[in-house]
Short mmCIF file of all heavy atoms in Angstrom, two decimals:
data_model
loop_
_atom_site.label_atom_id
_atom_site.label_comp_id
_atom_site.label_asym_id
_atom_site.label_seq_id
_atom_site.Cartn_x
_atom_site.Cartn_y
_atom_site.Cartn_z
N ALA A 147 74.43 -20.65 4.53
CA ALA A 147 74.20 -22.05 4.17
C ALA A 147 72.91 -22.12 3.37
O ALA A 147 71.93 -21.45 3.70
CB ALA A 147 74.11 -22.92 5.41
N HIS A 148 72.95 -22.90 2.29
CA HIS A 148 71.76 -23.11 1.47
C HIS A 148 71.94 -24.40 0.67
O HIS A 148 73.04 -24.95 0.59
CB HIS A 148 71.50 -21.92 0.54
CG HIS A 148 72.63 -21.60 -0.38
ND1 HIS A 148 72.89 -22.30 -1.54
CD2 HIS A 148 73.59 -20.64 -0.30
CE1 HIS A 148 73.94 -21.77 -2.14
NE2 HIS A 148 74.40 -20.77 -1.41
N ARG A 149 70.86 -24.86 0.10
CA ARG A 149 70.90 -26.04 -0.76
C ARG A 149 71.86 -25.77 -1.91
O ARG A 149 71.92 -24.67 -2.45
CB ARG A 149 69.49 -26.32 -1.28
CG ARG A 149 69.38 -27.49 -2.21
CD ARG A 149 67.93 -27.72 -2.63
NE ARG A 149 67.19 -26.51 -2.94
CZ ARG A 149 67.11 -25.96 -4.16
NH1 ARG A 149 67.72 -26.51 -5.18
NH2 ARG A 149 66.42 -24.87 -4.36
N ARG A 150 72.59 -26.77 -2.30
CA ARG A 150 73.54 -26.62 -3.40
C ARG A 150 72.79 -26.54 -4.73
O ARG A 150 71.83 -27.27 -4.96
CB ARG A 150 74.49 -27.81 -3.43
CG ARG A 150 75.57 -27.66 -4.47
CD ARG A 150 76.58 -28.77 -4.35
NE ARG A 150 77.65 -28.52 -5.30
CZ ARG A 150 78.34 -29.47 -5.87
NH1 ARG A 150 78.10 -30.72 -5.56
NH2 ARG A 150 79.28 -29.17 -6.72
N ARG A 151 73.25 -25.65 -5.58
CA ARG A 151 72.68 -25.55 -6.92
C ARG A 151 73.14 -26.73 -7.75
O ARG A 151 74.28 -27.16 -7.64
CB ARG A 151 73.15 -24.28 -7.62
CG ARG A 151 72.63 -23.03 -7.00
CD ARG A 151 73.14 -21.83 -7.79
NE ARG A 151 72.78 -20.62 -7.12
CZ ARG A 151 71.58 -20.06 -7.19
NH1 ARG A 151 70.65 -20.61 -7.90
NH2 ARG A 151 71.33 -18.94 -6.55
N PRO A 152 72.28 -27.25 -8.62
CA PRO A 152 72.71 -28.37 -9.46
C PRO A 152 73.72 -27.90 -10.50
O PRO A 152 73.63 -26.77 -10.98
CB PRO A 152 71.42 -28.85 -10.12
CG PRO A 152 70.54 -27.65 -10.11
CD PRO A 152 70.91 -26.86 -8.88
N GLY A 153 74.65 -28.77 -10.85
CA GLY A 153 75.60 -28.46 -11.92
C GLY A 153 74.96 -28.72 -13.27
O GLY A 153 73.89 -29.32 -13.37
N MET A 154 75.60 -28.27 -14.33
CA MET A 154 75.09 -28.50 -15.68
C MET A 154 75.21 -29.98 -16.01
O MET A 154 76.22 -30.60 -15.76
CB MET A 154 75.90 -27.68 -16.69
CG MET A 154 75.41 -27.82 -18.09
SD MET A 154 73.72 -27.27 -18.25
CE MET A 154 73.95 -25.70 -19.02
N ALA A 155 74.15 -30.52 -16.56
CA ALA A 155 74.14 -31.92 -16.95
C ALA A 155 73.36 -32.06 -18.25
O ALA A 155 72.50 -31.24 -18.55
CB ALA A 155 73.50 -32.78 -15.86
N ILE A 156 73.64 -33.11 -19.00
CA ILE A 156 72.95 -33.35 -20.27
C ILE A 156 71.45 -33.38 -20.06
O ILE A 156 70.68 -32.82 -20.82
CB ILE A 156 73.44 -34.66 -20.93
CG1 ILE A 156 74.92 -34.56 -21.25
CG2 ILE A 156 72.62 -34.98 -22.16
CD1 ILE A 156 75.30 -33.49 -22.24
N GLY A 157 70.99 -34.02 -18.99
CA GLY A 157 69.56 -34.10 -18.69
C GLY A 157 68.94 -32.73 -18.53
O GLY A 157 67.83 -32.48 -18.97
N ASN A 158 69.66 -31.81 -17.89
CA ASN A 158 69.15 -30.44 -17.71
C ASN A 158 68.97 -29.75 -19.05
O ASN A 158 67.99 -29.06 -19.28
CB ASN A 158 70.11 -29.61 -16.85
CG ASN A 158 70.17 -30.06 -15.42
OD1 ASN A 158 69.44 -30.97 -15.00
ND2 ASN A 158 71.04 -29.45 -14.66
N VAL A 159 69.94 -29.91 -19.96
CA VAL A 159 69.87 -29.26 -21.27
C VAL A 159 68.71 -29.83 -22.07
O VAL A 159 67.91 -29.10 -22.65
CB VAL A 159 71.20 -29.45 -22.04
CG1 VAL A 159 71.07 -28.94 -23.46
CG2 VAL A 159 72.33 -28.75 -21.32
N THR A 160 68.57 -31.14 -22.09
CA THR A 160 67.49 -31.78 -22.84
C THR A 160 66.13 -31.35 -22.29
O THR A 160 65.25 -30.95 -23.06
CB THR A 160 67.63 -33.31 -22.77
OG1 THR A 160 68.91 -33.67 -23.27
CG2 THR A 160 66.54 -34.00 -23.56
N ALA A 161 65.96 -31.40 -20.98
CA ALA A 161 64.68 -31.02 -20.38
C ALA A 161 64.38 -29.55 -20.65
O ALA A 161 63.24 -29.17 -20.94
CB ALA A 161 64.71 -31.29 -18.88
N ALA A 162 65.40 -28.69 -20.59
CA ALA A 162 65.19 -27.27 -20.82
C ALA A 162 64.77 -27.01 -22.26
O ALA A 162 63.87 -26.22 -22.52
CB ALA A 162 66.47 -26.49 -20.50
N ARG A 163 65.41 -27.69 -23.21
CA ARG A 163 65.05 -27.50 -24.62
C ARG A 163 63.63 -27.96 -24.89
O ARG A 163 62.88 -27.31 -25.59
CB ARG A 163 66.03 -28.25 -25.52
CG ARG A 163 67.34 -27.54 -25.65
CD ARG A 163 68.24 -28.25 -26.63
NE ARG A 163 69.46 -27.50 -26.80
CZ ARG A 163 70.59 -28.04 -27.20
NH1 ARG A 163 70.65 -29.32 -27.50
NH2 ARG A 163 71.66 -27.30 -27.32
N GLU A 164 63.28 -29.12 -24.32
CA GLU A 164 61.92 -29.63 -24.53
C GLU A 164 60.89 -28.68 -23.93
O GLU A 164 59.88 -28.38 -24.54
CB GLU A 164 61.78 -31.02 -23.91
CG GLU A 164 62.51 -32.09 -24.70
CD GLU A 164 62.51 -33.44 -23.99
OE1 GLU A 164 61.88 -33.57 -22.92
OE2 GLU A 164 63.14 -34.38 -24.53
N ALA A 165 61.18 -28.17 -22.72
CA ALA A 165 60.24 -27.25 -22.08
C ALA A 165 60.13 -25.94 -22.84
O ALA A 165 59.10 -25.28 -22.83
CB ALA A 165 60.68 -26.99 -20.64
N ALA A 166 61.23 -25.55 -23.52
CA ALA A 166 61.23 -24.28 -24.26
C ALA A 166 60.67 -24.43 -25.67
O ALA A 166 60.59 -23.47 -26.41
CB ALA A 166 62.65 -23.72 -24.32
N GLY A 167 60.31 -25.65 -26.06
CA GLY A 167 59.67 -25.80 -27.36
C GLY A 167 60.45 -26.59 -28.37
O GLY A 167 60.22 -26.47 -29.57
N GLY A 168 61.42 -27.37 -27.96
CA GLY A 168 62.11 -28.23 -28.91
C GLY A 168 63.59 -27.98 -28.99
O GLY A 168 64.13 -27.11 -28.33
N VAL A 169 64.25 -28.74 -29.86
CA VAL A 169 65.70 -28.72 -29.98
C VAL A 169 66.24 -27.36 -30.38
O VAL A 169 67.25 -26.92 -29.89
CB VAL A 169 66.16 -29.81 -30.99
CG1 VAL A 169 67.65 -29.74 -31.21
CG2 VAL A 169 65.76 -31.18 -30.49
N GLY A 170 65.55 -26.65 -31.26
CA GLY A 170 66.07 -25.38 -31.73
C GLY A 170 65.70 -24.20 -30.86
O GLY A 170 65.98 -23.06 -31.22
N ALA A 171 65.06 -24.42 -29.73
CA ALA A 171 64.62 -23.30 -28.89
C ALA A 171 65.82 -22.51 -28.40
O ALA A 171 66.83 -23.07 -28.00
CB ALA A 171 63.82 -23.84 -27.71
N ALA A 172 65.68 -21.19 -28.40
CA ALA A 172 66.81 -20.33 -28.05
C ALA A 172 66.95 -20.14 -26.55
O ALA A 172 68.04 -20.01 -26.04
CB ALA A 172 66.63 -18.96 -28.72
N ALA A 173 65.85 -20.08 -25.82
CA ALA A 173 65.93 -19.77 -24.41
C ALA A 173 65.40 -20.92 -23.59
O ALA A 173 64.36 -21.48 -23.89
CB ALA A 173 65.15 -18.50 -24.09
N ALA A 174 66.10 -21.24 -22.51
CA ALA A 174 65.66 -22.28 -21.60
C ALA A 174 65.01 -21.62 -20.40
O ALA A 174 65.37 -20.52 -20.02
CB ALA A 174 66.86 -23.12 -21.14
N PRO A 175 64.04 -22.26 -19.78
CA PRO A 175 63.42 -21.67 -18.59
C PRO A 175 64.43 -21.61 -17.46
O PRO A 175 65.31 -22.45 -17.34
CB PRO A 175 62.29 -22.64 -18.26
CG PRO A 175 62.68 -23.93 -18.91
CD PRO A 175 63.50 -23.56 -20.11
N GLU A 176 64.28 -20.58 -16.57
CA GLU A 176 65.21 -20.41 -15.47
C GLU A 176 65.18 -21.57 -14.50
O GLU A 176 66.15 -21.87 -13.85
CB GLU A 176 64.89 -19.11 -14.72
CG GLU A 176 65.24 -17.88 -15.53
CD GLU A 176 64.99 -16.62 -14.73
OE1 GLU A 176 65.13 -16.66 -13.50
OE2 GLU A 176 64.67 -15.61 -15.35
N SER A 177 64.06 -22.26 -14.39
CA SER A 177 63.94 -23.32 -13.41
C SER A 177 64.70 -24.58 -13.80
O SER A 177 64.76 -25.52 -13.04
CB SER A 177 62.46 -23.67 -13.22
OG SER A 177 61.92 -24.13 -14.44
N ALA A 178 65.31 -24.61 -15.00
CA ALA A 178 66.02 -25.80 -15.44
C ALA A 178 67.27 -26.05 -14.61
O ALA A 178 67.77 -27.16 -14.55
CB ALA A 178 66.40 -25.68 -16.91
N GLY A 179 67.85 -25.05 -13.95
CA GLY A 179 69.03 -25.21 -13.11
C GLY A 179 70.30 -25.25 -13.94
O GLY A 179 70.28 -25.04 -15.14
N GLY A 180 71.40 -25.52 -13.28
CA GLY A 180 72.67 -25.61 -13.97
C GLY A 180 73.33 -24.25 -14.10
O GLY A 180 72.87 -23.25 -13.58
N GLU A 181 74.45 -24.22 -14.80
CA GLU A 181 75.20 -22.99 -14.97
C GLU A 181 75.26 -22.63 -16.44
O GLU A 181 75.00 -23.46 -17.30
CB GLU A 181 76.59 -23.13 -14.38
CG GLU A 181 77.43 -24.18 -15.05
CD GLU A 181 78.79 -24.33 -14.40
OE1 GLU A 181 78.84 -24.77 -13.25
OE2 GLU A 181 79.78 -24.00 -15.05
N PRO A 182 75.59 -21.37 -16.76
CA PRO A 182 75.67 -20.96 -18.16
C PRO A 182 76.73 -21.79 -18.91
O PRO A 182 77.66 -22.30 -18.31
CB PRO A 182 76.10 -19.50 -18.09
CG PRO A 182 75.88 -19.06 -16.70
CD PRO A 182 75.88 -20.29 -15.84
N ALA A 183 76.57 -21.86 -20.21
CA ALA A 183 77.49 -22.64 -21.03
C ALA A 183 78.88 -22.01 -21.08
O ALA A 183 79.86 -22.69 -21.29
CB ALA A 183 76.94 -22.78 -22.44
N CYS A 184 79.00 -20.72 -20.90
CA CYS A 184 80.31 -20.08 -20.90
C CYS A 184 80.65 -19.61 -19.49
O CYS A 184 79.83 -19.66 -18.60
CB CYS A 184 80.35 -18.91 -21.88
SG CYS A 184 79.40 -17.50 -21.32
N MET A 185 81.87 -19.12 -19.30
CA MET A 185 82.31 -18.70 -17.97
C MET A 185 82.18 -17.21 -17.74
O MET A 185 82.61 -16.71 -16.72
CB MET A 185 83.76 -19.13 -17.76
CG MET A 185 83.90 -20.61 -17.65
SD MET A 185 85.36 -21.21 -16.79
CE MET A 185 85.90 -19.93 -15.74
N LEU A 186 81.55 -16.47 -18.66
CA LEU A 186 81.47 -15.02 -18.47
C LEU A 186 80.77 -14.64 -17.18
O LEU A 186 81.11 -13.63 -16.57
CB LEU A 186 80.78 -14.37 -19.67
CG LEU A 186 81.59 -14.38 -20.96
CD1 LEU A 186 80.79 -13.76 -22.10
CD2 LEU A 186 82.90 -13.64 -20.77
N GLY A 187 79.81 -15.43 -16.75
CA GLY A 187 79.11 -15.15 -15.50
C GLY A 187 79.96 -15.36 -14.27
O GLY A 187 79.56 -15.01 -13.17
#
């Protein structure tokens, strides 16, 4: 049993991009939460 991980949300993507340096930033910080954009994981 553990706290549930947050799902991907628009707010998570926006906050991650801003924290990573703007809209064109390639990498989001791990603490942003959510799941990868694709299902390969």
